[in-house]
Amino acid sequence: MILGVESSCDDTGLAIWEAGQFIYEQTSSQIDLHALYGGVVPQLAAREHLRNFPILLKDLQKQVDLQRIKQIAVTCGPGLPGSLALGIAFAWSLRLALGCELVGVHHLRGHILSPFIEHPNFRKQNNLFPHLSLLVSGGNTILSSVDETLSIRVLATTIDDAAGEAIDKGAKLLGLRYPGGPEIEQYAQQGDARKYIFPQAFTQDGEWKFSFSGIKTSLRYRLAALTEAELKEQFRDICAGYQRAIIDVLVKKLHQALQHDHFGSIGLSGGVANNRLLRERVQELGAAMYLPVFLPKPKYTGDNASMIAFAAAIDPVHTTDTIDFKPNWPL
Ligand code: AMP
Ligand code: MG
């Protein structure tokens, strides 16, 4: 039995993995608090983790005999220092109380492996590797290749904003609530994406990087040129165009990677992987290339402890037994 502990940003999570499945999964979100400030406030996030861990632990205790936990797997980084420190301190304390093993897990490995949570025997299928992974969240945009030993080779990252960050900043300019992704998606569904064309950076073949800061600047200028009545009338089209530009870039890069190298499968992860249009477009790409596509369930897209327990369970080689606190841990 493995207990996963996650607190790298603003979600507090505990999950128990036993015999190939989850018997407990809980995530406590702080979105309502941070929405008041238009983004995550690090000190408040740490304070909330301190409050939430004991609540989650009490809930876990009601459902699972803690003495049966053999290992605790905790996110050691990357993430917000205060948030990570609380998760690590919580895991250490519990480890001392239970006398079990404690290992550290890389948060981004958790995300990258999350599309396989519902396919725990994926490692036995050699033809799925190398696996092409696209991790798109509020803090990261990482295109990578995962081999059969689950070593990760980064192919492209963003030089400025992450895809989710661009969505959130765009949403803020549009006067929408944080986090902006779900709201922009709703308006975009009713809009025409061809009416507003936004810039797409580094879409040429061989440009192994992403940039999403220009699109946000472009939105700012376009909004400044509109009257209030025009904005109201064209709001849905703007959302559709903005969302489309970001998704187009992501899908184009996936396509280019598939043309450069041989891959056995495609996976999508991170909070932006909730987006329906992105999911559809990646599935279409997989079908066109005759490749299986792995999409995590929505509860495994944002930060969660299940992906941390899963990463430790299926891939002990890449866990660490020195529980260092690593806010800037590279992949
Ligand atoms: P994470 O950083 O993994 O916790 O994911 C949060 C990010 O995902 C934020 O930037 C959200 O705006 C974004 N996000 C969540 N749901 C959606 C969605 N349906 N469409 C686009 N982005 C989304
Ligand atoms: Mg995350």
Side-chain angles (χ1 to χ4, degrees):
M1 190 186 265
I2 299 178
L3 169 68
V5 178
E6 162 63 33
S7 69
S8 61
C9 187
D10 62 337
D11 291 300
T12 322
L14 293 182
I16 296 264
W17 171 267
E18 188 184 34
Q21 59 177 343
F22 286 105
I23 59 164
Y24 181 89
E25 297 180 299
Q26 201 59 258
T27 307
S28 177
S29 163
Q30 307 176 6
I31 277 189
D32 292 340
L33 171 70
H34 299 291
L36 300 173
Y37 303 91
V40 175
V41 184
Q43 301 93 305
L44 295 184
R47 190 193 70 187
E48 290 302 296
H49 288 306
L50 187 59
R51 192 174 287 171
N52 290 336
F53 270 125
I55 298 173
L56 290 187
L57 182 62
K58 259 198 188 140
D59 183 55
L60 173 66
Q61 254 175 324
K62 280 187 212 148
Q63 304 187 42
V64 175
D65 174 9
L66 299 188
Q67 296 301 331
R68 290 176 49 223
I69 294 172
K70 289 279 177 297
Q71 184 185 71
I72 300 174
V74 61
T75 299
C76 287
L80 297 174
S83 293
L84 286 171
L86 280 169
I88 294 172
F90 170 80
W92 260 113
S93 323
L94 202 56
R95 189 234 131 154
L96 288 175
L98 301 176
C100 61
E101 197 184 327
L102 175 61
V103 296
V105 173
H106 195 294
H107 177 76
L108 301 179
R109 293 192 70 88
H111 274 301
I112 288 171
L113 298 176
S114 67
F116 295 115
I117 288 178
E118 283 160 293
H119 311 273
N121 294 322
F122 73 102
R123 293 191 74 174
K124 292 185 188 140
Q125 288 171 261
N126 267 341
N127 55 345
L128 298 180
F129 298 98
H131 168 75
L132 180 62
S133 155
L134 177 64
L135 162 55
V136 266
S137 68
N140 292 281
T141 307
I142 302 176
L143 185 71
S144 66
S145 168
V146 185
D147 71 17
E148 61 281 356
T149 68
L150 302 189
S151 291
I152 297 169
R153 185 167 56 94
V154 175
L155 304 175
T157 59
T158 176
I159 59 165
D160 41 52
D161 291 347
E165 193 177 355
I167 292 174
D168 293 340
K169 287 178 176 171
K172 199 169 186 175
L173 292 172
L174 289 161
L176 298 174
R177 215 180 96 94
Y178 170 84
E183 286 213 51
I184 288 208
E185 177 173 29
Q186 273 197 342
Y187 286 108
Q189 274 165 10
Q190 301 153 27
D192 183 346
R194 293 163 304 183
K195 295 221 173 121
Y196 273 83
I197 305 296
F198 287 96
Q200 301 182 11
F202 302 131
T203 51
Q204 296 304 309
D205 195 14
E207 293 182 314
W208 293 107
K209 53 193 164 191
F210 297 98
S211 165
F212 293 105
S213 66
I215 181 171
K216 166 199 73 194
T217 312
S218 161
L219 175 65
R220 182 192 298 270
Y221 286 122
R222 311 230 3 212
L223 290 178
L226 294 177
T227 64
E228 224 167 275
E230 285 168 335
L231 174 62
K232 201 169 169 199
E233 192 202 346
Q234 292 162 40
F235 194 80
R236 288 168 170 77
D237 297 336
I238 297 172
C239 288
Y242 195 78
Q243 173 181 274
R244 165 73 77 84
I246 292 174
I247 291 176
D248 271 354
V249 171
L250 297 172
V251 176
K252 279 180 193 168
K253 269 294 160 257
L254 277 174
H255 192 205
Q256 285 164 11
L258 292 172
Q259 288 186 320
H260 264 268
D261 271 314
H262 160 77
F263 288 96
S265 58
I266 305 172
L268 194 60
S269 57
V272 183
N274 262 308
N275 186 277
R276 262 180 46 193
L277 182 64
L278 178 61
R279 290 171 87 94
E280 277 167 26
R281 294 275 306 273
V282 173
Q283 255 164 339
E284 281 165 18
L285 178 65
M289 307 293 277
Y290 301 102
L291 289 177
V293 174
F294 292 86
L295 300 173
K297 266 190 189 161
K299 68 174 172 181
Y300 299 132
T301 56
D303 293 342
N304 64 90
S306 305
M307 68 184 191
I308 302 304
F310 181 72
I314 52 135
D315 179 27
V317 170
H318 289 101
T319 61
T320 62
D321 43 16
T322 48
I323 307 303
D324 293 335
F325 161 71
K326 296 175 182 163
N328 299 312
W329 197 358
L331 248 179

